[in-house]
Every structure is written in structure tokens, then in C-alpha cells.
Amino acid sequence: MNDREPRRIVIVGGVAGGMSAAARARRLDERAEIVVLEQSDYVSFANCGLPYHLSGDIERRDDLLLHTPASLGAALALDVRTGNRVTAIDRAARTVSVTTSESSYQLAYDALLLSPGAVAVRPPIDGLDHPAVHSLRTIPDLDALDEHVTRLVDGRSDDDRARAVVVGAGFIGLEAVEALVARGLEVDVVELADHVLPPLDAELAPLLADELKAHDVGLFLGVSAQALNPASDTALSVVLSDGTALSADLVLVNVGVRPASDLARDAGLALGRHGAIRVDEDQRTSDPHIWAVGDAVEVIHAVTGTVGPVPLAGPANRQGRRAADSMLGRRTTPQAAVLGTAIVRVFGLTAAVTGANQQTLAQAGIAHEVVRIHPGHHAGYFPGAAQIHLVASFAPDGRLLGAQAVGRDGVDKRIDVLATALRAEMTADDLAELELAYAPPYGSAKDPVNMLGFVAQNVLDGTTPQWHPGELDDVLADTLVLDVRSQGEFDRGHLKGALHIPHTELRGRLDEVHAAAAGRPVSVHCASGVRSHIATRVLLAAELDARNLSGGWLTLTALRPDLVP
Amino acid sequence: MNDREPRRIVIVGGVAGGMSAAARARRLDERAEIVVLEQSDYVSFANCGLPYHLSGDIERRDDLLLHTPASLGAALALDVRTGNRVTAIDRAARTVSVTTSESSYQLAYDALLLSPGAVAVRPPIDGLDHPAVHSLRTIPDLDALDEHVTRLVDGRSDDDRARAVVVGAGFIGLEAVEALVARGLEVDVVELADHVLPPLDAELAPLLADELKAHDVGLFLGVSAQALNPASDTALSVVLSDGTALSADLVLVNVGVRPASDLARDAGLALGRHGAIRVDEDQRTSDPHIWAVGDAVEVIHAVTGTVGPVPLAGPANRQGRRAADSMLGRRTTPQAAVLGTAIVRVFGLTAAVTGANQQTLAQAGIAHEVVRIHPGHHAGYFPGAAQIHLVASFAPDGRLLGAQAVGRDGVDKRIDVLATALRAEMTADDLAELELAYAPPYGSAKDPVNMLGFVAQNVLDGTTPQWHPGELDDVLADTLVLDVRSQGEFDRGHLKGALHIPHTELRGRLDEVHAAAAGRPVSVHCASGVRSHIATRVLLAAELDARNLSGGWLTLTALRPDLVP
């Protein structure tokens, strides 16, 4: 399709990837006929904004509707048809079958782009059809939920708040929780994994859990919802796998999505893992006249090399642009493997991830060393520095494999820098040498990202061996624990049997360590790992077999709250 | 010095690079004797925090003193000697001559590290010795200035505010301006360059100028201070090169720094350009037993390849760490060339730079294409999106050369991402494919950095040719200007002789364009460059020789405020 004749491009799905493709195609080719077929009544709506209209952050519903068929027609001469559902593709004839509320028709294409998105997974729960049960994927979903919430809070007092149960504590689930709390509901969250936000490493999740509890959100982790039993005309009882019953005036189910690839499958296009549409680097499917983008297609994960769908708006938009280039015979930028960069606001906290988390690396059998730091988001001497809890994994050769962070400020910046570093296949040495913008209100002369590099260098080259929170039982059984924090910190809670010597006194009290260790390794820790790093170096120089606790008491007690009295 | 014998490391200068080296050396080598000689009374103070104690942001002066000789002795067993000035180096004997207020002595070294920093340039102005004239490089400078300001504002009314003149509108000058305004002074700024913050491209500086004026700061650009004449016992008259006389109760001079390399020069060490100490990749000087770091040493600029000193805290700290590694015979990470990443807060605005600016590229004769965008700092449909004014330069092969940004929020994040991209030698294609964290409160599915990549791709591959604000005179003389903004925008100000057709009407009114162009090129513009990009593509398809104004009306009127009625 790279000659100069006008042709028809048909695009199935008018959100994110599909609409990016349509707009790009028009900018590249003024003569092509471009038809967008959208089964719903809305195109180009702000999918990621839905929870924020529910919360009231985005006041006007119309602000979610970024474009209309009329505005797209005027600006880009696109033929946008809402309420037009594609039911079949005839690949031999190069036509699609389209159904509207009034009729059906065939539409021929020269190039076809599929951007069908994903559909909500329907978990095996009895009672999902109750009118108090909602999902949150589309504008009609939002409208129904919003109307229901308005009805529930109307006229109720603080003593008689309506109750919501959110099933699934993923990204959208947590955004919905925040929105429902903002609307005045009492909210419980049910999550099958043992921690909220399953893509986050378990050690960072307690920070989010504490923030949720501080807003009176009930957490039910490691359990599933088994049944939604009618409790009255309007209310439900949500029965969990451990027998708990939660009363609810409203239930929101968000347990993930699956590719909406039925149309592609029925047309005989090659599907990959998890039913996602298989595409090449140019977004072309197994049919040379059909391209596909967005939540429905298979991508390669940059770190693990695994393939599968990744439902994220950013990659979908870029895929749409690339598909348009390819359909119009232009040079395309090869599809970069997906990092899975994602972010969520949970009340006052931000949590963000990029690359592979520890669990994924372990499952994939990828050797890695984990580094944990807890720096301020800007210079400590400037008021308002907020602690960032930052975890990163590195390959033995120093290559960054993934990073995660939680904090009140500056989290998005560090994860974006690390996502850029991941794309560039940077190493710990490279992170150490990054030259980031420093003035006291914004960062530190040694930015948290530089610090990650420094610590990783020390770990990887053997300067400072680490021990990890997960090794606590062995450490307690087989080694001397040396706590180098201050007396006050020690008094507020410490490991049983720990020898306590503040790091500033260590050089003068090495005999005590030798005596207590009695030939055993010494497992050092402080609050965050900084003072204990110095102490570990002192001990190693004194011929002791010393290791430093990665992430310190902060990470340890996040995973083991039972250690704090 | 990599055997196991204890040796003596002597470090001259106890701030930033010097203290980073001392701390790293101790962590690597428990037996070395480490002596830090600091001529002032303070080590390890927060140099970059000085303006923020003056402003009151940092309330306690002690918060600026990050460490003391005692704390460094306790934690790191460093022998830190303040008030100890090194007057000479005997390289053959490997000793330094040290002077204190009471005596002099010789100190032998096995390894010597020079971290002397920089000294304020003393401009050729008469009257600099007046007691109302200050600089702001050290704690004593800050104390004197703070005391003077306190005296000036004490008991004065709003009608009788004290007046300050700040000479030099660089990074520290602007921070000082903000601080003095916060303290209640009326402030004038004098800058020799034709715009504030000379490292910033001229087109972004007007945003800062407007912010300064909005806080009643007087701007005197393109002029120098020639004389500081006593006007009374306590006040001065600052006479400018254009004859203007500014009255001042206080004058702060900040016209840059030069390397404090006298000691190195007197010892016969090789100096480079601008008198900076020449070092190799390991920070070693021309003497194999002497290393040097920080503001006094020569670095290579990553983009231009030019060499010279760059007085920034981040590189200084990393150089100190690297020098310690080298002194102790460890593998070092080669010194990365310097990007010059820097940032400043100017009241509610942030300005940041990385890599080479347009002026530097032009002077160095490096071919480049400039791309300008004005996106929101997060999704436009989420409340509070603040416009970022973002400018970047790309080589013809697509490689990023430099970037600058000004805005109220999200500027530091984008410049840090771009600084990381610069370090990785990324291209426009790479920026387009970056996968940054997106949720409505934090960014957009197409982040501003992605958008930079998209626009640069279109420019570099010829999809959308650009014209630039600097070409305005030629454009007005030789081409048809087509303004595709809305009627309301057009009515509020437009280029003389421009044809006005809103972009949504363009396809139906191409005949008008053909007629008006009469064979001439068509120079299209809108407000920011987005709508005019679509329009340019429409015109090119209609066989017109069309170009799109880079940065749109926003950039054009920043450089040419006379165009706005």
C-alpha cells in the first residue's frame, strides 16, 4: 500500500492504539479513506481517567471524551462510526462484516487494523449478575457506577456510611478504592495475592497497605471472593474463601483483563500465549493485510523475554503510530520490547514499577542481586524531604533488570529515569555516572538513582556482601547479628540476641565482636543500610566474615511487622 | 598504593569532591591514615543550600553543616583539620606545607588529592570593597549577608523597603534574588547577557523574566555594572554601562567562578583551558601521586567535546569517589563526559538544562535541528496540568544533543529522563519508544519526552519541514504566512499579512491557499505546532511547499514580544 493511489484503511476500535493509528495515517496520507469502526458509543475516551471522574478529581464527564466523531472528521477527515460492531473478517475478500443497531453491511479494506482492546476477566464467583455488582472499563461502566454511588451516599450520615467491596487490588482496583473513599463509602478490598498491588514486590506493598488502612480501608489478602449472596433488595454479602462474610451495598470487580481476540481468532489469525494476537515488529499479524495493536496483541518483555499481552496505554499508542507507518509503507521504528512501566497513586503515596520484579526474575531463573535504599526525594537539609523506598535488581554483570519505588514524592521521576536506563541496557556503573539535575528543592548531589548504582557496584564487586530479609531465620540461627544503630533506635525494637554497638563506637570495640561472633559470620544492620555499610567494611578489615542487611531495619520490618514490639 | 600497608592519604579541601573521596577511601581502606586539610572553619557544608538559608526555607543554619570534624572522626576515622591552609606542594619530597592561625608544618603524603574548588570571579567594577557588597560562596559569606539583610529589613515598613542589586543572573544569582525578595527587599538584577540565566536558550528566558517581574524584580539585561559609588554611609549607587544608576542598600555580586588552581599551578602540575587542573579518566593529575577533583579540574563536555571546568556538585561528588578508587588501586568507572545538567527554581517556575544549548551548538559548528513543544506536564483531562516549554536539539542522524525546559511542574523529571537519554546516546527514535510511567496525575500516554521524539522523527525524515522563529523576517518577506488557529486566537494577535484559515476548514479552502501563495512557499503556524503540523501535511499533499513553525506562536512571541499588540 505504498503507491500513491487512495486506498481504504479500516480500523476496528477507536480508543488509544486504534485512534493513534488513524490520526497518524491521516497525517501521512491525505488521500486514504480512513474508517474507524467502534462498537461502543464513544471513541478516544480517557480510559485511564475513569477512576478520577468517579473520585471527583475530574469534575466534568465530558473531559473524559477527548474527541468526538465530528471533531475527528473536521480535524483529520476520519470517517468515525460509533455503534458499529465488526462481527467477522473475510480475509480472502478483504472485507469486514459490520453490525449496527439498525442494519448490517460489508466494508472492503485495503489495510485492516485491529485494536479491539481487552475485556474484563469474569472470575468464577456466584452472583456476579446482581445489579449492585460493577466493573470499570468503559464509559457506560463508569456511568452506572457513578449513578449507583450517588444514590448510595445521598442523604446518608457519617454513622451510616454505605459499604463497598472492591475485588482485586491491582492498579485500577486501587484507584477505584481511593475514588470510592473520596465519595464517602466505607471500602473493603479483597485480593487473592498475599499483598496489595501484586506486580509490586512484597516488601514494598506494606507501605501501601498502611496507607489504605490509614484511610479506613479494610484489607482481605490471600483470599478470594467465592460468592455474592443477596442480603436484601439492594445489599450483598461477599463470602470469602476463608469463610469471612463482608456486607456490601456495592461490589466492584477488577481481577484483570484478557485480550479481546475473538474476532482475530475466528478469522484464523495466529494467536500467541494467553490468546493474544501475534504480531511482528511492524505490528503486522499473520495476514499481510491485517495489523493489530494494543491490549489484544502479544509483546515481548524486555527483561525476561517472555511473550504475552501487556495492557498499558503507552505501548498501545506507540504501536498504533508504528502500525500506521507500516500500513503506509514507511520506515518504522522497530517495536521496543515492553518494560511494563506502570504507576499508581494510592492516597498520598505513589507506587511505580519498571522492568522485572523479584518474583518474575526468580520464576524465570534469572540470576540477580537485589539492592534496596531509602533516600530522601531531595536534599535532606532542605525542608520536606520525603523518603523514597527504592528496590532494584541487577544481573551479575551489572545490568539493571528492574526497579520499583514507593513514596510520597519524586517516585515517578526516579522510575522514569530507571525505565530510560533499562531501555538503554545500562549497568550499575552507568547509574552511578548519571548526571541528573540537582538543586536542593529537586534532588541530591548524589541522586537516589546514583546511590542505587553505588550500592550495586559495592555488592556486585564484593566490596560489601549483603544478607537479605528473607534469610532472617538462617541468620538468627547461624550468625551473630550486630545492630549498629543508636541506643534510642535499638531500644525501640531489635532482633533477639543482637549485639548492639553504635557504628561510631565500632572501631574501639572490635574485641567484643570477635568474642561474640566466636568464628561465626557477622550479620550487620542499621536502619537503612548506610551506617551498616561502613560497619561491614570495618569488620571485613578486621578479618571478620561480615555481611550487610540489604534495606536495613526498614525493609526487614516491612516484611516482618511481628519484629516490632 | 594498592598493597596492604597503611599509608597516608592527604586531601586538600573538605567539601563535596574532597569529602566524598575521604569517605570512600575510608570505606575501602580501614588502615590508611586519611587527613583532610580545609582552609576554612567548615567542612562538608551544603554549598547549594546557602541561598535557601538566606531565604528562610532552611530555617536552621546548622542544617547546612552536614558533618563536623568530630562526627567524621567518629564515623569514618578521618583526621579532619579545619583552619589548615596548604600553601605549597613539594612533589619530589611528597609533602605539603600547611599553615594554621598559630603555626606552620610539613605533612608527608603517599597520595594527595586536590579538591580546592573555585573562587568567585572579581569583575572589573570600582567600589567592590564597600561593606555593602557581598558574595555568596561560603558560610562566612552567608553569615555576613544574612546579618546585613536582617539589619536592613528590621523595623522598615512596606513603603520603605530596602533595595538590593544582584549582579549576575546565573543559577546562584537567581536563587539569591528569590531569597532576597522572600526577605522583603526590593531587588534589581543586572546581567551582561541579553537574557536571564545565560545557559538557557534565549527563547525560554522570557518565561523566567516574566516570573521575576511578577515578583517586582527589576531586570537590567545586556548591561554591566561599572561602578559602585557610595551614596551615603550605608547605601550605594550602582552605575550601569548604559548610564543607569540603581540605588542599593546591598549589592550581591555573582558573575561566575574560576578554578582555584593556584596551588596546583605553583607545584608545576599541568593545567588546561581556563586554568583548570588537567586530569585523566581516573582523576589523576600529571603527577602520578596527585589526584584532583571538583570545580578546579578540567572535564570533557559530552556533546561538544570541548574541555574546561564545570562547577557542579554532582560531578564533583562522583569524581571524589572515583579518585578514591584510583588512589587505592581499585577498578574505577571511567569518568563520563559532563552533560552540564543543571536546574534552578525561580519563584513558581523551574528551569533546567542538559547537554548543549543552541548557542553552544552553533558556536561549535555542530549541525542540528531544533524541536520545540509545549505539552502539559500530565494528562490534560486531569486537573492542574501545567504547560512545560521544552526545547531539544538533534543531530541529523537523530542523536539527541541537548534539551532545556521551563515550567511550573514536571520539568525536573523530563530533564532527568533526557539527561539519561543523552548519556545513553539515544536518538529521536529511542525517545519515541521510551516507556515512561503513565497515570493521569503523573504524565500522559504519550509523555512529553515521547512527543519530542515523534516531532524530531517527523522533522528529520522530512515528513514535516520546519521554519524557525529566527527566520521571521525572511518568512514575512518571501512566503505566505498561514495561521491555522481559531478565530479568537487570531483576533488576539497575528502576523501582519497572514492568511487565516482554521485547521478544521483547511481541506475545503485549499484554493484560497493556492491563490494567496501564488507560487511562494507557505509558512504555517498555530499556537504550539500541533494543529499546524496537521495543516502542513494537508498542504504538502496538495503540492504546496509548506513548512511548520517550530514551537508555534508561543515560542515566536517569547522571542518577539513586540508581535503581541
Side-chain angles (χ1 to χ4, degrees):
Chain A
M1 226 185 103
N2 50 358
D3 58 34
R4 304 291 298 169
E5 288 304 296
R7 299 287 183 94
R8 185 186 289 153
I9 297 171
V10 173
I11 294 175
V12 181
V15 186
M19 201 51 79
S20 290
R24 173 72 171 169
R26 171 57 70 227
R27 290 193 304 266
L28 294 181
D29 187 342
E30 188 61 19
R31 301 183 218 192
E33 183 187 357
I34 303 174
V35 183
V36 179
L37 302 169
E38 167 59 43
Q39 62 179 340
S40 81
D41 292 336
Y42 304 95
V43 287
S44 212
F45 70 92
N47 213 317
C48 302
L50 301 185
Y52 293 102
H53 178 59
L54 182 65
S55 68
D57 281 301
I58 299 168
E59 283 183 38
R60 297 174 54 237
R61 175 179 178 277
D62 280 1
D63 286 348
L64 298 174
L65 308 175
L66 308 179
H67 299 287
T68 62
S71 71
L72 291 162
L76 291 164
L78 301 178
D79 177 358
V80 178
R81 308 178 189 176
T82 56
N84 277 244
R85 191 161 68 87
V86 176
T87 56
I89 305 168
D90 184 336
R91 289 166 51 194
R94 290 191 210 159
T95 62
V96 291
S97 303
V98 188
T99 305
T100 72
S101 58
E102 286 151 21
S103 64
S104 297
Y105 63 96
Q106 304 286 316
L107 186 66
Y109 62 80
D110 297 290
L112 176 66
L113 175 72
L114 303 178
S115 178
V119 292
V121 168
R122 204 178 149 87
I125 305 176
D126 291 336
L128 277 184
D129 295 324
H130 191 282
V133 180
H134 294 267
S135 58
L136 185 51
R137 291 273 311 158
T138 65
I139 295 275
D141 287 348
L142 172 66
D143 290 339
L145 182 56
D146 189 46
E147 186 274 332
H148 191 179
V149 170
T150 301
R151 202 154 23 91
L152 283 175
V153 298
D154 198 32
R156 292 220 194 193
S157 71
D158 269 6
D159 302 335
D160 177 36
R161 290 160 68 197
R163 302 189 64 91
V165 171
V166 175
V167 179
F171 288 95
I172 298 167
L174 291 182
E175 289 174 340
V177 167
E178 185 181 322
L180 292 170
V181 170
R183 292 290 290 275
L185 275 69
E186 272 198 75
V187 182
D188 290 323
V189 180
V190 178
E191 170 56 51
L192 184 60
D194 63 357
H195 62 272
V196 296
L197 203 62
L200 200 68
D201 282 326
E203 64 195 67
L204 291 174
L207 298 158
L208 299 185
D210 288 347
E211 185 77 1
L212 289 163
K213 289 178 202 160
H215 290 82
D216 294 326
V217 175
L219 295 184
F220 298 86
L221 303 174
V223 291
S224 61
Q226 304 250 304
L228 309 175
N229 297 329
S232 72
D233 279 1
T234 59
L236 286 165
S237 173
V238 181
V239 181
L240 308 185
S241 52
D242 66 355
T244 306
L246 305 172
S247 65
D249 302 296
L250 180 157
V251 175
L252 179 61
V253 178
N254 257 299
V255 297
V257 296
R258 61 171 180 77
S261 53
D262 294 2
L263 184 67
R265 185 199 59 216
D266 293 348
L269 295 177
L271 302 189
R273 285 165 60 95
H274 310 293
I277 304 169
R278 183 157 289 167
V279 293
D280 69 8
E281 283 203 336
D282 290 338
Q283 305 300 139
R284 202 186 294 247
T285 68
S286 54
D287 181 319
H289 300 282
I290 307 179
W291 287 254
V293 299
D295 295 0
V297 307
E298 203 178 54
V299 296
I300 299 172
H301 194 285
V303 175
T304 59
T306 54
V307 291
V310 173
L312 288 168
N317 278 282
R318 289 189 294 280
Q319 289 162 9
R321 195 167 187 275
R322 185 182 310 113
D325 286 358
S326 175
M327 287 191 287
L328 292 163
R330 295 179 52 114
R331 175 193 77 104
T332 61
T333 51
Q335 175 168 196
V338 167
L339 303 172
T341 310
I343 191 165
V344 65
R345 187 180 84 180
V346 180
F347 299 102
L349 283 179
T350 299
V353 303
T354 187
N357 66 16
Q358 294 175 50
Q359 196 180 347
T360 304
L361 291 170
Q363 283 168 353
I366 297 173
H368 62 284
E369 191 71 50
V370 181
V371 168
R372 304 166 173 93
I373 59 175
H374 309 271
H377 90 286
H378 61 48
Y381 62 82
F382 191 81
Q387 202 165 36
I388 298 181
H389 304 275
L390 190 48
V391 180
S393 298
F394 295 86
D397 67 0
R399 194 161 63 87
L400 179 66
L401 299 173
Q404 310 206 328
V406 173
R408 297 199 177 273
D409 208 347
V411 165
D412 56 332
K413 177 162 77 172
R414 272 57 183 222
I415 289 298
D416 276 0
V417 167
L418 289 162
T420 306
L422 265 173
R423 180 68 86 221
E425 302 191 353
M426 284 188 169
T427 64
D429 287 351
D430 295 324
L431 297 190
E433 283 296 318
L434 284 182
E435 193 186 323
L436 305 173
Y438 165 52
Y442 303 98
S444 298
K446 293 163 182 159
D447 189 86
V449 176
N450 297 133
M451 291 301 304
L452 266 189
F454 295 155
V455 175
Q457 286 177 324
N458 286 331
V459 169
L460 293 167
D461 71 9
T463 299
T464 304
Q466 294 192 114
W467 64 282
H468 295 278
E471 298 162 6
L472 181 62
D473 292 340
D474 291 344
V475 158
L476 290 173
D478 304 331
T479 76
L480 169 68
V481 173
L482 175 66
D483 184 334
V484 299
R485 295 176 299 161
S486 69
Q487 188 68 48
E489 292 170 280
F490 183 78
D491 290 345
R492 284 192 292 277
H494 56 263
L495 289 174
K496 199 176 162 186
L499 174 65
H500 175 236
I501 302 178
H503 79 296
T504 50
E505 298 174 17
L506 186 59
R507 288 183 181 84
R509 296 171 64 181
L510 285 170
D511 287 352
E512 293 175 50
V513 184
H514 275 289
R520 291 177 298 166
V522 183
S523 302
V524 192
H525 84 84
C526 65
S528 70
V530 175
R531 288 169 291 176
S532 52
H533 165 50
I534 298 173
T536 301
R537 292 294 305 163
V538 170
L539 298 176
L540 289 168
E543 310 288 336
L544 284 151
D545 177 11
R547 297 175 301 160
N548 180 24
L549 173 57
S550 173
W553 188 249
L554 280 164
T555 300
L556 186 66
T557 51
L559 284 166
R560 294 287 302 270
D562 56 296
L563 296 172
V564 185
Chain B
M1 229 189 97
N2 52 359
D3 58 32
R4 303 292 298 169
E5 288 302 297
R7 300 284 184 93
R8 184 186 288 153
I9 296 171
V10 172
I11 294 174
V12 181
V15 186
M19 201 49 79
S20 290
R24 173 72 172 170
R26 171 57 72 225
R27 291 194 302 266
L28 295 180
D29 187 342
E30 188 59 21
R31 301 181 216 194
E33 183 186 358
I34 304 174
V35 183
V36 178
L37 302 169
E38 167 58 43
Q39 62 181 341
S40 81
D41 292 337
Y42 304 95
V43 287
S44 211
F45 70 92
N47 213 315
C48 302
L50 300 184
Y52 294 101
H53 178 58
L54 181 65
S55 68
D57 281 302
I58 300 169
E59 285 184 35
R60 297 173 56 237
R61 175 179 179 278
D62 280 1
D63 286 347
L64 297 174
L65 308 175
L66 308 179
H67 299 287
T68 63
S71 71
L72 291 162
L76 291 164
L78 301 178
D79 178 358
V80 177
R81 307 179 188 176
T82 56
N84 276 243
R85 190 161 69 88
V86 175
T87 56
I89 304 167
D90 184 335
R91 290 166 51 193
R94 292 193 210 158
T95 62
V96 291
S97 302
V98 188
T99 304
T100 72
S101 58
E102 284 150 22
S103 64
S104 297
Y105 63 97
Q106 304 288 314
L107 185 67
Y109 63 81
D110 297 292
L112 176 66
L113 175 72
L114 304 178
S115 179
V119 292
V121 168
R122 206 178 148 86
I125 306 176
D126 291 334
L128 276 184
D129 294 326
H130 190 282
V133 180
H134 295 267
S135 58
L136 185 52
R137 291 274 308 161
T138 66
I139 294 277
D141 287 349
L142 171 67
D143 290 340
L145 182 56
D146 190 46
E147 186 273 332
H148 191 180
V149 169
T150 301
R151 202 153 23 90
L152 283 175
V153 299
D154 199 31
R156 292 221 193 192
S157 71
D158 268 5
D159 302 335
D160 177 33
R161 290 161 69 198
R163 301 189 64 91
V165 171
V166 175
V167 179
F171 288 95
I172 298 167
L174 291 182
E175 288 174 340
V177 167
E178 185 180 322
L180 292 169
V181 169
R183 292 290 290 274
L185 275 70
E186 272 199 74
V187 182
D188 289 324
V189 181
V190 178
E191 169 57 50
L192 184 60
D194 64 358
H195 61 274
V196 296
L197 203 61
L200 200 67
D201 282 326
E203 66 197 62
L204 291 174
L207 297 158
L208 299 185
D210 288 346
E211 185 77 2
L212 289 163
K213 289 176 201 158
H215 289 81
D216 295 326
V217 175
L219 295 184
F220 298 86
L221 303 174
V223 290
S224 61
Q226 304 249 306
L228 309 175
N229 296 330
S232 72
D233 280 1
T234 59
L236 286 165
S237 173
V238 180
V239 182
L240 307 186
S241 52
D242 66 355
T244 306
L246 304 172
S247 66
D249 301 296
L250 181 156
V251 175
L252 180 60
V253 178
N254 258 297
V255 296
V257 296
R258 60 170 181 79
S261 55
D262 293 2
L263 184 67
R265 185 199 59 219
D266 293 348
L269 297 177
L271 302 190
R273 284 165 61 95
H274 310 293
I277 305 170
R278 183 157 289 170
V279 292
D280 69 9
E281 283 204 334
D282 290 338
Q283 306 299 139
R284 203 186 293 247
T285 68
S286 55
D287 182 319
H289 300 284
I290 306 179
W291 287 255
V293 298
D295 295 358
V297 308
E298 203 178 56
V299 296
I300 300 172
H301 195 285
V303 176
T304 60
T306 54
V307 291
V310 173
L312 288 168
N317 278 281
R318 289 189 293 279
Q319 288 163 7
R321 196 167 186 272
R322 184 183 308 113
D325 286 358
S326 175
M327 287 192 287
L328 292 163
R330 294 181 54 114
R331 173 193 79 103
T332 61
T333 50
Q335 176 168 194
V338 168
L339 302 172
T341 311
I343 191 165
V344 65
R345 188 181 84 179
V346 180
F347 299 102
L349 282 180
T350 299
V353 303
T354 188
N357 65 16
Q358 294 175 49
Q359 193 180 350
T360 304
L361 290 171
Q363 284 168 352
I366 296 174
H368 62 284
E369 191 72 49
V370 181
V371 169
R372 305 165 172 93
I373 59 175
H374 308 270
H377 90 288
H378 62 49
Y381 62 82
F382 191 82
Q387 202 165 36
I388 297 180
H389 304 274
L390 191 46
V391 180
S393 298
F394 295 85
D397 67 0
R399 196 161 63 88
L400 178 66
L401 300 172
Q404 310 206 328
V406 174
R408 298 200 176 270
D409 209 345
V411 165
D412 55 332
K413 177 162 76 173
R414 273 56 182 221
I415 290 298
D416 276 0
V417 167
L418 289 163
T420 306
L422 265 172
R423 179 67 87 220
E425 301 189 356
M426 283 187 170
T427 63
D429 287 352
D430 296 324
L431 297 189
E433 282 297 317
L434 284 182
E435 193 187 322
L436 305 173
Y438 165 53
Y442 304 98
S444 298
K446 293 164 184 161
D447 190 87
V449 176
N450 297 133
M451 292 300 305
L452 267 189
F454 295 155
V455 176
Q457 286 177 325
N458 286 332
V459 170
L460 293 168
D461 71 11
T463 299
T464 304
Q466 294 192 113
W467 64 281
H468 294 278
E471 298 162 6
L472 180 62
D473 291 340
D474 290 343
V475 158
L476 290 173
D478 304 331
T479 76
L480 169 68
V481 173
L482 175 66
D483 184 334
V484 299
R485 295 176 299 162
S486 69
Q487 189 68 48
E489 292 171 281
F490 183 78
D491 290 343
R492 285 192 291 277
H494 56 262
L495 289 174
K496 199 174 163 186
L499 175 64
H500 175 234
I501 302 177
H503 79 298
T504 51
E505 299 173 17
L506 185 59
R507 289 186 180 84
R509 297 172 63 181
L510 283 170
D511 287 352
E512 293 175 50
V513 184
H514 275 289
R520 292 177 299 165
V522 184
S523 302
V524 193
H525 83 85
C526 65
S528 70
V530 175
R531 289 169 289 177
S532 52
H533 165 49
I534 298 172
T536 301
R537 292 293 307 163
V538 171
L539 297 177
L540 288 169
E543 311 287 335
L544 284 152
D545 177 12
R547 297 176 301 160
N548 181 23
L549 172 58
S550 173
W553 188 248
L554 280 163
T555 300
L556 186 66
T557 51
L559 284 166
R560 293 286 303 270
D562 57 297
L563 295 173
V564 185

